[in-house]
Amino acid sequence: MSELLTVNALSKAFGSKLVLDNINLHLESGRIYGLLGPNGSGKTTLIKLINGLLTASSGEIYVDGDKIGPSSKAIISYLPDKLYFSEWMTVNMLINYYSDFYDDFDKERAYQMLNNLAINPDDKLKILSKGTKEKVQLIMVMSRHAKLYILDEPIGGVDPASRDYILDTILNNYDENASILISTHLITDIERILDEVIFLQNGRTVLSAAVDDIRAREGKSVDELFREVFRCFPHY
Amino acid sequence: MFSTLLKHEMKSLWHYTGIVVICVLIASVLFELGMISVFLIPNYIYDTVMVPTLIFLFFTITVALSYGVVFAVAYRFYRSMASDEGYLTHTLPVTVNELIGAKLFAGTVYTICSLLYIILFIILTAVIAVLVSGASDSIPEVLKDLEYVYKEIKENIPLPLFVYFIEFIIVGLFSSIYSNVVIFLCVALGQLMKKHKLIWSVVYYMLVTFVLQGLIQMGSTILGMVFGNGIERYVERVGVDGFVTVSQIIILVAFLVFAILSVCGYFITKYIFERKLNLE
């Protein structure tokens, strides 16, 4: 397994507030990583930095040996935690857009997934419900044969039935040699698919380990360990 | 990738300007028909209603088209670079240069097309007015006068007229690029702010245009002081050859000012999106 993502001494501050503090990560090919932490722990900031949407205060990021740039963006398929499409576009236009820019975009796979969900490719995005738009966004991201999928809260705002569908879509559509980095705080739903976990707290890595090791060493599930590490104590 | 970006940029701009363009085309046809009717129906009451309406329509067409395109270019740039749509734009496998370059190229094409339409609209209006008003009999006379004017200019000004025409096009092109770059720069400056990025972009636009207009005004004043109090007195003093040289210098200065400001604005914008990107 080769190293796909390397993060060295990465820090990010917004003004005087330090959001990420000296993060070091090494992600290998063919693994599914869970980026776990409570709200405000810095998960989205880290993901945005890896995707080049923010600039780091210090530290370095390498994707497949390259710094963040067109070459890294060509191999990362990123699902943000918000909708980013132009509402006036139709689903078909969106497919053509992705196909034009990403050599690894699989149109056939995209239409197949749309068909499975009974989404009409001729529909404009503005007439779709929020949930359907999120599904379209997931379909676009998972229709790529990317080396690294970065999914920011893919099951954050959806009902339990849709969560299963989303997780199945992810598992059925990623290439075996690719890696997935999933950020979430809904551990129970996602634990079954994870190979490794990274716990973030207050912008720092507090744990980075294989799921099997956690179970063997701690005798607990990831969810139980998460609840223990991030337990909230009432302030009186 | 640049051509792909350009293709999608032209499409997106058409989405934002399409309605304005269609309305302008319909309004233009209505305007020309209205003008013809004014000439063909010699009725005082009809004229008193129609003439002000046509004047209003004429200004609405020119303002709607020129400002419509400026607004569309600005809005499209803001949406795709500094709002949620930026999550898609900035994760495309392209360089910042290609991103801004494609937007600038597409924006400039739209700006120039809108200017050309306005010029053609004015020429068409003049031609129709001459033909319908019965003044067509005097066309040979007008052409003769124009020929005389052309001959006089040719004899008195050593430079061929097409040189001025080409210079006019080049300065026009650079001023179009400049106006789009200023918009891009202000959106880039606005996105440096933590909150209210759109409002800050507008504030920066007002500030930047105010400062640049002030600088250009100051430059013009200095040129005026250097070359005398009045253009006529100056021409008398330096002669026609001297005037041509001075006019060429002024055109060159205008070209350089637009070029330098455009290049500076472009690189500052590029620097901000490359090194200071801060998508919410």
Side-chain angles (χ1 to χ4, degrees):
Chain A
M1 281 187 289
S2 60
E3 193 159 304
L4 191 58
L5 174 71
T6 309
V7 176
N8 290 332
L10 186 73
S11 295
K12 174 69 184 173
F14 292 108
S16 59
K17 193 183 177 194
L18 193 61
V19 180
L20 287 179
D21 184 11
N22 196 31
I23 299 284
N24 291 286
L25 289 178
H26 301 276
L27 269 58
E28 291 175 340
S29 301
R31 310 277 287 166
I32 300 180
Y33 293 85
L35 184 61
L36 314 176
N39 294 330
S41 57
K43 301 187 296 289
T44 298
T45 303
L46 175 60
I47 284 176
K48 281 162 79 174
L49 282 162
I50 297 168
N51 282 287
L53 300 173
L54 291 175
T55 38
S57 303
S58 64
E60 290 167 331
I61 302 170
Y62 294 95
V63 179
D64 212 18
D66 291 323
K67 283 195 170 183
I68 301 300
S71 56
S72 74
K73 290 170 186 176
I75 58 171
I76 294 178
S77 193
Y78 167 49
L79 180 77
D81 61 346
K82 54 176 77 179
L83 295 166
Y84 57 58
F85 298 141
S86 301
E87 293 273 296
W88 56 270
M89 287 176 113
T90 63
V91 179
N92 257 330
M93 283 178 180
L94 205 56
I95 288 175
N96 288 329
Y97 189 90
Y98 267 77
S99 174
D100 279 351
F101 285 106
Y102 297 106
D103 295 336
D104 58 10
F105 188 78
D106 187 342
K107 268 187 173 185
E108 210 172 296
R109 188 193 275 183
Y111 281 115
Q112 184 61 53
M113 282 195 264
L114 287 171
N115 189 43
N116 292 346
L117 284 170
I119 297 171
N120 182 0
D122 294 322
D123 281 349
K124 280 195 173 184
L125 289 161
K126 68 179 168 193
I127 68 160
L128 302 179
S129 68
K130 187 171 174 275
T132 309
K133 282 180 202 165
E134 283 173 348
K135 282 172 188 161
V136 170
Q137 198 155 285
L138 179 70
I139 288 170
M140 294 300 127
V141 169
M142 296 313 297
S143 294
R144 286 184 57 197
H145 296 281
K147 280 189 175 180
L148 176 60
Y149 297 87
I150 299 182
L151 314 172
D152 193 1
E153 301 281 2
I155 53 169
V158 295
D159 57 84
S162 297
R163 281 178 204 170
D164 287 340
Y165 171 78
I166 289 169
L167 292 177
D168 289 342
T169 305
I170 294 167
L171 288 177
N172 294 332
N173 290 288
Y174 91 102
D175 296 332
E176 290 290 306
N177 295 324
S179 285
I180 303 180
L181 179 65
I182 302 180
S183 135
T184 188
H185 53 266
L186 301 167
I187 322 281
T188 322
D189 296 287
I190 217 164
E191 186 171 344
R192 64 183 168 96
I193 70 166
L194 298 178
D195 294 316
E196 307 218 12
V197 290
I198 300 150
F199 280 9
L200 275 188
Q201 188 175 34
N202 298 326
R204 290 184 179 186
T205 317
V206 290
L207 177 79
S208 179
V211 172
D212 291 342
D213 288 349
I214 290 173
R215 288 190 188 122
R217 200 173 55 220
E218 307 281 340
K220 293 172 186 157
S221 67
V222 175
D223 186 42
E224 286 168 333
L225 184 65
F226 182 89
R227 286 169 197 274
E228 194 179 297
V229 172
F230 298 111
R231 180 175 294 141
C232 294
F233 294 101
H235 297 278
Y236 296 106
Chain B
M1 278 294 179
F2 182 81
S3 56
T4 313
L5 277 170
L6 191 58
K7 182 182 88 177
H8 286 285
E9 205 51 43
M10 297 295 278
K11 258 191 205 173
S12 300
L13 277 178
W14 173 250
H15 168 76
Y16 290 116
T17 53
I19 292 171
V20 176
V21 170
I22 289 166
C23 289
V24 162
L25 285 173
I26 293 169
S28 303
V29 171
L30 290 176
F31 174 85
E32 302 299 355
L33 289 175
M35 193 182 67
I36 292 168
S37 74
V38 167
F39 284 114
L40 297 182
I41 306 167
N43 180 300
Y44 177 74
I45 297 168
Y46 183 72
D47 286 358
T48 49
V49 177
M50 277 305 280
V51 172
T53 310
L54 287 174
I55 293 170
F56 173 75
L57 199 56
F58 180 86
F59 285 107
T60 306
I61 288 167
T62 50
V63 169
L65 190 59
S66 49
Y67 280 90
V69 168
V70 169
F71 181 77
V73 170
Y75 186 68
R76 165 73 190 150
F77 191 79
Y78 170 76
R79 291 280 297 175
S80 62
M81 297 292 278
S83 76
D84 288 353
E85 283 178 33
Y87 277 74
L88 182 58
T89 310
H90 294 291
T91 49
L92 293 174
V94 296
T95 61
V96 174
N97 246 338
E98 286 175 316
L99 271 181
I100 303 173
K103 287 175 191 303
L104 184 58
F105 194 97
T108 305
V109 168
Y110 270 79
T111 309
I112 288 171
C113 285
S114 68
L115 290 175
L116 283 178
Y117 182 84
I118 290 167
I119 292 169
L120 285 175
F121 174 62
I122 292 168
I123 291 171
L124 185 70
T125 303
V127 170
I128 290 174
V130 168
L131 292 174
V132 180
S133 65
S136 54
D137 297 344
S138 56
I139 287 175
E141 214 170 299
V142 173
L143 286 175
K144 210 174 156 185
D145 289 345
L146 284 175
E147 200 181 332
Y148 173 74
V149 171
Y150 176 72
K151 208 174 149 188
E152 280 290 306
I153 292 171
K154 207 176 166 188
E155 278 173 11
N156 290 303
I157 295 179
L159 275 178
L161 270 182
F162 77 87
V163 173
Y164 284 100
F165 184 67
I166 290 169
E167 285 173 344
F168 170 75
I169 289 173
I170 292 173
V171 172
L173 178 68
F174 269 80
S175 69
S176 299
I177 292 172
Y178 158 80
S179 63
N180 285 322
V181 166
V182 170
I183 292 169
F184 294 179
L185 173 67
C186 296
V187 172
L189 290 170
Q191 83 88 41
L192 290 174
M193 299 296 135
K194 277 182 189 167
K195 285 181 180 176
H196 311 301
K197 294 181 177 189
L198 185 57
I199 294 169
W200 275 109
S201 298
V202 175
V203 170
Y204 274 120
Y205 185 76
M206 289 194 286
L207 274 173
V208 169
T209 46
F210 179 75
V211 169
L212 291 177
Q213 285 298 327
L215 286 174
I216 290 169
Q217 192 65 45
M218 210 172 4
S220 309
T221 311
I222 292 167
L223 277 177
M225 284 163 69
V226 170
F227 295 120
N229 292 327
I231 203 85
E232 283 175 20
R233 276 172 57 194
Y234 181 72
V235 173
E236 278 172 23
R237 206 170 75 223
V238 295
V240 173
D241 280 359
F243 175 70
V244 170
T245 312
V246 171
S247 69
Q248 289 304 299
I249 291 170
I250 290 170
I251 289 170
L252 184 69
V253 168
F255 166 75
L256 281 175
V257 166
F258 282 133
I260 291 167
L261 290 177
S262 301
V263 170
C264 291
Y266 182 91
F267 280 103
I268 296 170
T269 307
K270 180 178 171 275
Y271 174 80
I272 291 171
F273 280 111
E274 227 166 37
R275 304 286 174 86
K276 301 282 176 190
L277 184 61
N278 185 22
L279 273 192
E280 273 175 10

